[in-house]
Amino acid sequence: MPSPVGHALAGAAIAFSVKPLLDSRARPTFRVALISSMLLAALPDADLLYQPIHRAVTHSIGSTLLVTIVATAVTGWVTGRGSLGFGLFCGLAWGSHAALDWLGADPTPPRGIKVLWPFAEGWFISDLDIFRGTERRQLFTWPSIVYNLMAVAQEVAILAPITGALALLRRPAKKTGSAG
Ligand SMILES: [Zn+2]
C-alpha cells in the first residue's frame, strides 16, 4: 500500500481538482485547503501506531462520513456559516486514502482494508497492485530502505504527473491589461 508521499500527492490532486469550488472569501484559503487535503489523505495510517486496528476503521466509509460531518461542523463554527462543501472536500481527501490502499499491493493477511465498516466487516482489495506498497516492519534496514525508496519513486511517477497537470490547469490566470 502506498507511502504517505503517495497519499499526500493524491490529496493535493483532489485540492487542485476542486479549487474553483473552494475559491471564495467565505471559505478557507486555497493554501489551507491544499495542506489540509494532503494531511487528511495521509492521516488514516496514523492507526499504524496500534497495529491490531491498522487498515480498519480509519480506512472505512464510516470514518469518511465522520470526517465529513466533523469538518463541516468545525468549518461552520470557525467561519460562522455552514460549509458542507468544505466538509465534503475533507471527506473526499480522507476517503482517497482508502481508494489508494485498495489499488495497492498487500501481501500481509488479512489482505486489504475494512472499507465498508461499520456496514460490513470484510477486508477488501482490488488485486490490481497499482502501487507496490511499502515495507514497514524492519524500517531502518537497507533492504527496507531501498524497497521503500523504489515504492515512493513509483508513486511519484504515477501520481506527480496527474497532480502537476491539475496544478497547471488550476493556476491563476495571468492578469491582462493594467489598472488606471
Ligand atoms: Zn493506509
Side-chain angles (χ1 to χ4, degrees):
M1 294 183 174
S3 74
V5 175
H7 287 298
L9 274 171
I14 288 169
F16 284 117
S17 302
V18 303
K19 190 180 178 192
L21 304 172
L22 292 167
D23 277 344
S24 159
R25 276 182 227 167
R27 299 186 182 114
T29 62
F30 180 68
R31 195 170 294 177
V32 172
L34 177 64
I35 293 167
S36 305
S37 188
M38 292 171 80
L39 286 175
L40 282 166
L43 204 57
D45 274 345
D47 67 0
L48 273 165
L49 294 172
Y50 185 60
Q51 275 289 345
I53 59 164
H54 182 46
R55 294 179 285 114
V57 174
T58 59
H59 290 58
S60 70
I61 198 162
S63 64
T64 302
L65 287 172
L66 188 68
V67 166
T68 305
I69 293 165
V70 170
T72 303
V74 169
T75 314
W77 179 60
V78 171
T79 63
R81 59 170 74 194
S83 184
L84 179 63
F86 193 72
L88 285 171
F89 163 68
C90 290
L92 192 64
W94 180 273
S96 74
H97 185 103
L100 256 64
D101 277 4
W102 181 73
L103 290 169
D106 182 13
T108 320
R111 294 174 60 245
I113 53 175
K114 273 195 174 181
V115 70
L116 295 182
W117 181 91
F119 307 106
E121 281 291 321
W123 299 81
F124 297 87
I125 192 152
S126 68
D127 281 326
L128 293 171
D129 295 357
I130 289 177
F131 303 102
R132 63 160 56 205
T134 47
E135 178 55 59
R136 286 161 176 170
R137 281 161 294 185
Q138 286 126 7
L139 205 56
F140 299 107
T141 58
W142 275 116
S144 293
I145 290 169
V146 170
Y147 186 88
N148 286 340
L149 283 174
M150 284 173 71
V152 169
Q154 185 206 24
E155 291 161 16
V156 170
I158 294 171
L159 294 166
I162 299 169
T163 307
L166 285 164
L168 275 175
L169 204 69
R170 300 302 194 205
R171 72 188 186 281
K174 275 190 188 137
K175 288 194 179 86
T176 50
S178 58

